[in-house]
Amino acid sequence: MLNDETLRDGLQSPSVLDPPLEKKIRILHLMEALGIDSVNLGLPGAGARAKEDVLRLAKEIAAAKLRIRPNCAARTLESDIRPIADIVQAAGVAIEAATFLGSSPIRQYAEDWDLDFLLRTTEGAVKYVVSLSLPAMYVTEDTTRAQPEVIKKLYATAIQHGARAIVVCDTVGHATPRGTRALLNFIQEEVVKPSGESVRIDWHGHQDRGLGVANSLAAFAAGAHQVHGSALGIGERVGNTPIDQLLVNLKLLGAIDRDLSKLHEYAQAVSDAVGVPIPPNYPVVGADAFRTATGVHAAAVIKAFKKNDVELANQVYSGVPSHWFGMDQKIEIGPMSGKSNVIYWLEKRGISPTDELVERIFACAKRADRVLTDSEILKLCGPPK
Ligand SMILES: [Zn+2]
């Protein structure tokens, strides 16, 4: 299962705009279309606007009968937890309360917390969540830098008082795939099994070392039930695990079998809503992901297209089939191109590829220091001077 953090951790990115509600609702529907299992709607304790947006999104889930399951973040404070219960009452949907608390020695030192304080706070928060009849999802921040004995005690306390989901967090992007696997094995063996309860294990990773996707796949392999990510990896600092890349990998690994043809639309909708452009070389949904101007590459793709085989054309020079994710192969014309690029480009637009025209475009491309734009090529298609 996947939990989408775009509308919570994603909006904590220092570069984003907080989008208007209509755009958040559209993003919510695109998450649903991609079969994403759950969504963090925000931190309603953050203020009146945050609470209002979370309420409207929760009402949308109820009204549109969406399958996606909502959760909300909360510090371990009654003033953060209470608004979630108010929203549940007003919207009529169940919402998991994800109460989070720092767990690492570095955080304890900075905050002047000791283990007793952490245990008392955990107990108080989880009991309060349960007393409001909210499903309790207990989050230890900075789990990957915490001491094993400390996280064991914290989770045991949370589970004992009613938490039925625990979230193992790589808050600062510190973990490696091997470490992620070891940590999750530890959580299974030393925390969940001894509790005797059925507890969902979530993994929440960040991108500081660029290992978000690799760590998340390692977490799944080590038995995590749910992994968190955000569209385009937007989030605190350099961001969260990119959920779009997770979807692509899970589909290619055969771990999920669902229609992801709206993946590009989802990534673009988030990019537009938060004002963060998609880099051209971004995997799968970047503008260059399926674009080539290189002669050898283009020639192979064109031969595949001529066999009327889209599947073949989309895989002969790509590890990712573009049409699965709402993208198309694009053949461009530049200094590295061959004549087949030119002929294909013209034919695709219904322009007759005469020898004279092909030669003119080809010669121009060879003199250029970059790929020609469509309008430059169209101009060359006019009558010769
Ligand atoms: Zn995070």
Side-chain angles (χ1 to χ4, degrees):
M1 292 182 291
L2 293 173
N3 176 52
D4 196 314
E5 284 279 339
T6 307
L7 299 176
R8 200 279 302 174
D9 224 344
L11 299 185
Q12 290 178 211
S13 156
S15 287
V16 302
L17 301 168
D18 185 2
L21 186 73
E22 320 79 74
K23 292 191 179 176
K24 289 185 183 175
I25 289 175
R26 178 162 176 242
I27 292 166
L28 181 67
H29 279 272
L30 285 164
M31 292 173 188
E32 173 87 3
L34 293 172
I36 290 171
D37 305 273
S38 64
V39 54
N40 191 329
L41 296 179
L43 199 161
R49 162 134 193 241
K51 187 175 174 184
E52 181 59 27
D53 276 13
V54 172
L55 173 62
R56 299 281 296 277
L57 290 166
K59 284 184 168 170
E60 180 68 18
I61 290 176
K65 297 193 167 54
L66 303 185
R67 286 162 308 160
I68 198 164
R69 292 176 286 101
N71 58 77
C72 283
R75 288 164 294 180
T76 45
L77 303 170
E78 295 196 354
S79 57
D80 266 19
I81 299 167
R82 179 81 231 176
I84 303 175
D86 298 341
I87 291 166
V88 169
Q89 287 297 320
V93 286
I95 299 179
E96 266 186 292
T99 51
F100 60 88
L101 182 63
S103 62
S104 55
I106 189 168
R107 185 75 190 281
Q108 286 180 47
Y109 176 74
E111 304 268 6
D112 288 323
W113 293 338
D114 60 17
L115 180 59
D116 271 351
F117 170 82
L118 295 181
L119 291 170
R120 275 200 318 276
T121 306
T122 297
E123 179 178 339
V126 173
K127 275 184 169 168
Y128 187 61
V129 168
V130 171
S131 78
L132 297 172
S133 304
L134 299 170
M137 176 173 170
Y138 174 71
V139 185
T140 48
E141 275 187 288
D142 211 5
T143 325
T144 49
R145 296 193 300 176
Q147 292 158 310
E149 288 311 307
V150 169
I151 47 174
K152 214 165 130 174
K153 285 189 179 127
L154 291 175
Y155 286 141
T157 303
I159 293 168
Q160 186 195 331
H161 293 285
R164 287 300 167 266
I166 55 174
V167 184
V168 181
C169 293
D170 190 26
T171 304
V172 298
H174 164 77
T176 60
R178 182 184 274 200
T180 304
R181 211 176 311 133
L183 174 55
L184 284 162
N185 287 335
F186 170 82
I187 300 284
Q188 299 252 34
E189 295 302 319
E190 307 266 338
V191 175
V192 175
K193 274 189 194 163
S195 79
E197 300 288 349
S198 166
V199 176
R200 194 186 76 224
I201 304 171
D202 285 22
W203 169 257
H204 177 104
H206 276 267
Q207 278 286 66
D208 298 74
R209 291 167 72 165
L211 294 174
V213 172
N215 287 340
S216 295
L217 295 176
F220 273 132
H225 303 104
Q226 179 161 276
V227 162
H228 300 194
S230 67
L232 303 169
I234 57 166
E236 281 283 353
R237 306 178 308 283
V238 296
N240 293 56
T241 306
I243 201 167
D244 42 283
Q245 292 181 33
L246 267 183
L247 281 163
V248 167
N249 278 283
L250 292 171
K251 172 114 177 168
L252 291 172
L253 288 165
I256 56 171
D257 179 20
R258 65 177 78 152
D259 177 11
L260 295 179
S261 58
K262 285 209 157 65
L263 189 74
H264 180 234
E265 188 182 342
Y266 161 78
Q268 196 61 58
V270 172
S271 167
D272 294 342
V274 301
V276 173
I278 304 175
N281 64 342
Y282 189 92
V284 184
V285 295
D288 289 351
F290 303 105
R291 191 171 164 233
T292 183
T294 312
V296 177
H297 291 225
V301 174
I302 291 165
K303 281 175 195 155
F305 274 129
K306 291 209 165 135
K307 289 185 196 278
N308 278 325
D309 192 337
V310 174
E311 201 85 22
L312 178 68
N314 288 347
Q315 291 185 73
V316 64
Y317 255 109
S318 175
V320 178
S322 56
H323 59 293
W324 287 7
F325 306 105
M327 301 289 283
D328 281 319
Q329 289 282 344
K330 285 198 181 67
I331 305 288
E332 309 263 355
I333 305 171
M336 306 292 274
S337 296
K339 284 190 182 164
S340 60
N341 295 52
V342 181
I343 295 167
Y344 181 82
W345 193 99
L346 293 169
E347 282 178 343
K348 190 118 203 246
R349 285 157 184 81
I351 303 169
S352 172
T354 61
D355 289 352
E356 190 275 329
L357 180 57
V358 170
E359 194 51 55
R360 193 185 328 154
I361 296 171
F362 186 65
C364 181
K366 286 290 165 197
R367 288 193 304 269
D369 58 2
R370 54 166 174 79
V371 168
L372 302 179
T373 65
D374 284 5
S375 64
E376 284 171 331
I377 304 168
L378 286 170
K379 211 181 272 178
L380 290 167
C381 294
K385 294 195 182 87

